[in-house]
Amino acid sequence: MSTKNLILSARNVQKQFGAELVLKGINLDVHESETVVILGPSGSGRSSLLRCINFLERPNGGRIMVDGTDVGFRVRNGRLHELPAAELARNRSRISMVFQQFNLFAHMTVLENVIEGPVGVKGVPRTDAVKRAKQLLEQVGLAGREKAYPGQLSGGQQQRVGIARALAMEPTLMLFDEPTSALDPELVGDVLQTMRELAEAGTTMVVVTHEIAFAREAADRVIFMADGMVVESGPPEQVLDAPEHPRTKEFLARFL
């Protein structure tokens, strides 16, 4: 058992789209400074789980707490009540997500993209947000590109702006949903290196990816999902090198 603070607690999380149950009672704990990588085939429910953690999708059942507080709900008289929009935005600001697509505002400069959340959602003074944004852009290897527009950057650079934008919210938890899947192969390395550095710095991260090498190098724990369930979980060397479940073995065999 970890002695570090429990950052994410997901209990019996269920999500249904139409008649299809895509998450079948997921339980997941993530502790402070831990990097958890979720592997699995397409359709296994990995991205749906992230979107429920961030309340981009409303779970149909179960409970998700980040740093001891419910995500998307408040408890009143022993029942969960969904938060109104303004309060929900503040509630979700503890969780930052980096997507497959970069989702940058094309009409805003790099700097404007990074400060938009802290200023607009958290009320950070603009001068403070600009100072922090410049530090973060340097951290992700984009110092000097503050005035560039997304269309002037490569895909890898845009994704690193996305990471800086997520960090600018000073989140308790960082979520990554296949952050390299939309990139040309030669651009993947820089983004993964940025993520490795975040892991080494103790950022609490849940990463959905197919990058087995990243899982091996950066993860504290690897989870394998299939058919909306967690079928295997453990240290990278156990799950990747000595998997026990047939579905895990079948999946990893494609990468050997």
Side-chain angles (χ1 to χ4, degrees):
M1 290 289 291
S2 174
T3 58
K4 292 187 176 181
N5 292 337
L6 181 62
I7 296 298
L8 170 66
S9 172
R11 290 288 174 274
N12 194 31
V13 176
Q14 300 166 52
K15 180 62 186 176
Q16 191 163 342
F17 293 109
E20 184 182 6
L21 190 62
V22 295
L23 295 177
K24 302 173 183 176
I26 300 292
N27 295 309
L28 175 63
D29 287 345
V30 179
H31 290 84
E32 186 178 8
S33 302
E34 189 176 20
T35 297
V36 174
V37 170
I38 304 179
L39 301 175
S42 297
S44 59
R46 301 171 308 150
S47 293
S48 294
L49 176 60
L50 286 197
R51 293 177 68 85
C52 285
I53 292 170
N54 202 27
F55 212 73
L56 290 171
E57 297 286 353
R58 188 186 192 278
N60 295 105
R63 192 170 183 181
I64 298 171
M65 302 181 80
V66 169
D67 212 11
T69 303
D70 283 282
V71 177
F73 297 92
R74 73 160 64 91
V75 180
R76 192 166 62 232
N77 299 326
R79 295 173 66 91
L80 291 175
H81 297 268
E82 191 167 338
L83 296 173
E87 195 173 343
L88 177 61
R90 291 192 296 273
N91 177 269
R92 291 178 59 232
S93 70
R94 304 167 295 152
I95 310 163
S96 283
M97 188 157 169
V98 178
F99 299 86
Q100 298 179 32
Q101 303 298 331
F102 318 124
N103 290 347
L104 300 178
F105 294 109
H107 65 288
M108 291 183 178
T109 65
V110 164
L111 184 68
E112 289 167 340
N113 267 282
V114 176
I115 69 171
E116 191 261 345
V119 173
V121 177
K122 299 186 77 174
V124 174
R126 184 181 172 86
T127 51
D128 295 346
V130 167
K131 181 179 179 182
R132 174 69 174 147
K134 288 181 177 179
Q135 293 170 344
L136 290 170
L137 288 168
E138 181 175 0
Q139 180 180 334
V140 300
L142 291 172
R145 303 309 303 272
E146 293 88 354
K147 294 182 180 179
Y149 286 88
Q152 298 171 306
L153 303 178
S154 71
Q157 289 171 326
Q158 289 186 59
Q159 191 60 293
R160 284 184 280 149
V161 173
I163 293 172
R165 180 181 60 181
L167 289 168
M169 295 297 286
E170 299 188 332
T172 304
L173 175 66
M174 287 273 286
L175 308 176
F176 293 82
D177 186 11
E178 302 231 34
T180 60
S181 66
L183 299 178
D184 293 331
E186 66 269 20
L187 302 176
V188 168
D190 287 343
V191 172
L192 291 178
Q193 181 57 33
T194 299
M195 293 170 62
R196 286 189 196 96
E197 291 166 2
L198 292 179
E200 290 166 5
T203 307
T204 308
M205 298 162 48
V206 179
V207 182
V208 166
T209 185
H210 285 309
E211 300 287 347
I212 303 297
F214 174 82
R216 189 182 301 280
E217 295 166 18
D220 297 296
R221 188 153 43 101
V222 173
I223 289 169
F224 183 78
M225 286 182 64
D227 301 320
M229 297 179 289
V230 173
V231 299
E232 193 155 357
S233 174
E237 58 272 17
Q238 175 193 317
V239 175
L240 299 178
D241 298 330
E244 297 177 356
H245 197 281
R247 291 297 300 273
T248 316
K249 293 177 182 177
E250 177 189 352
F251 176 82
L252 291 172
R254 305 176 199 165
F255 297 91
L256 299 177

